[in-house]
Amino acid sequence: MTKVIQNFLPFYDERPNGAKVRALVLHCSAHAATDMIEVLRERELSSHYIIDTDGAVWQLVSETKRAWHAGESRWRGMHMLNQYSVGIELCSLSLGQETYAPAQLRSLIKLSRQIIRHYQIPAVNVVAHSDIAPTRKPDPGIAFPWRMLAQKGVGCWYDIADAEKMAENDVAILLAQIGYDVSDLAAASYAFCRHFIPSLVAIDKDVNHLVDNVYPSDFVLPQPYLPILKACAYRYGRLKPRR
Ligand SMILES: [Zn+2]
């Protein structure tokens, strides 16, 4: 087991009847752990865990309870993911735009693997806050190493060779197959890029500005990148959740 510093917050409730954990939601916030706990306390929010840049793991809420981290959110038919998920916050002063510390990632991988194994969470349900709330949230940001984590058994990545196996070319249909809520297509497309094609996402040095300006409302996925979307949709379509 990962060594965990316990500092429980009272901001949680029971998971509704029948809501089993089947997703892992990854976040970042621009605070050190102790500051983040104070911010959560002020806002009456929580997450199950915080991982500081030095790799220290803090637990704020028991995994058996519903922590308050995701807010309004949708993914693969789930709505309001707090009830279905464990939430992990990473400390990142750049809001996930500068490389994450190796010690922090080591702790994240270890903790995530424990959670994924315990609840049998499907790879397609290891998600960014930005994936499940694409109009509202930019975290855990473009520097988050999704590909490396997928190689370590945390989440899902694509194989570009799969692109030609997908006949579908409609961006909204492909994004929906991955799991995105496509009611705002620009937001969903940009969230997809944050996760899979971060080079298309602008760096915003002003973290406070970024929090309120998550995506350009006129964003369209450039045509040359369509094969990456198709390869992802193929992979996410094949790796069906187990429940
Ligand atoms: Zn978040």
Side-chain angles (χ1 to χ4, degrees), residues 38-151:
E38 287 317 303
V39 170
L40 291 169
R41 204 183 284 284
E42 281 165 23
R43 298 183 186 169
E44 303 196 346
L45 294 172
S46 61
S47 68
H48 294 94
Y49 297 99
I50 293 175
I51 305 179
D52 215 335
T53 50
D54 63 359
V57 179
W58 302 66
Q59 183 170 22
L60 311 185
V61 173
S62 163
E63 288 177 18
T64 62
K65 305 297 184 188
R66 172 167 63 181
W68 301 344
H69 54 95
E72 168 64 33
S73 49
R74 293 180 187 274
W75 186 256
R76 293 178 82 88
M78 291 177 275
H79 180 214
M80 306 300 282
L81 268 78
N82 283 344
Q83 60 187 312
Y84 303 112
S85 66
V86 171
I88 302 177
E89 283 274 5
L90 299 166
C91 301
S92 169
L93 293 181
S94 69
L95 212 58
Q97 298 181 99
E98 290 172 13
T99 311
Y100 279 92
Q104 189 176 29
L105 293 174
R106 276 196 297 277
S107 292
L108 173 65
I109 290 165
K110 195 171 170 192
L111 177 62
S112 298
R113 288 170 73 152
Q114 287 170 6
I115 293 166
I116 289 165
R117 195 181 316 123
H118 183 76
Y119 297 103
Q120 296 291 298
I121 295 172
V124 295
N125 283 349
V126 177
V127 289
H129 199 188
S130 52
D131 290 323
I132 64 174
T135 61
R136 298 189 302 115
K137 295 293 175 180
D139 60 308
I142 54 175
F144 190 81
W146 288 105
R147 181 180 192 164
M148 184 271 277
L149 261 74
Q151 288 164 349

Side-chain angles (χ1 to χ4, degrees), residues 131-207:
D131 290 323
I132 64 174
T135 61
R136 298 189 302 115
K137 295 293 175 180
D139 60 308
I142 54 175
F144 190 81
W146 288 105
R147 181 180 192 164
M148 184 271 277
L149 261 74
Q151 288 164 349
K152 305 271 186 192
V154 180
C156 186
W157 198 249
Y158 66 90
D159 179 348
I160 197 66
D162 290 333
E164 62 190 35
K165 299 174 189 164
M166 286 295 283
E168 184 60 60
N169 285 311
D170 185 278
V171 169
I173 292 172
L174 292 164
L175 287 169
Q177 173 151 347
I178 293 170
Y180 289 95
D181 170 15
V182 295
S183 52
D184 183 328
L185 187 56
S189 301
Y190 211 60
F192 167 77
C193 291
R194 272 205 165 88
H195 192 134
F196 295 102
I197 322 175
S199 61
L200 294 180
V201 174
I203 290 176
D204 189 341
K205 297 265 186 217
D206 182 345
V207 166

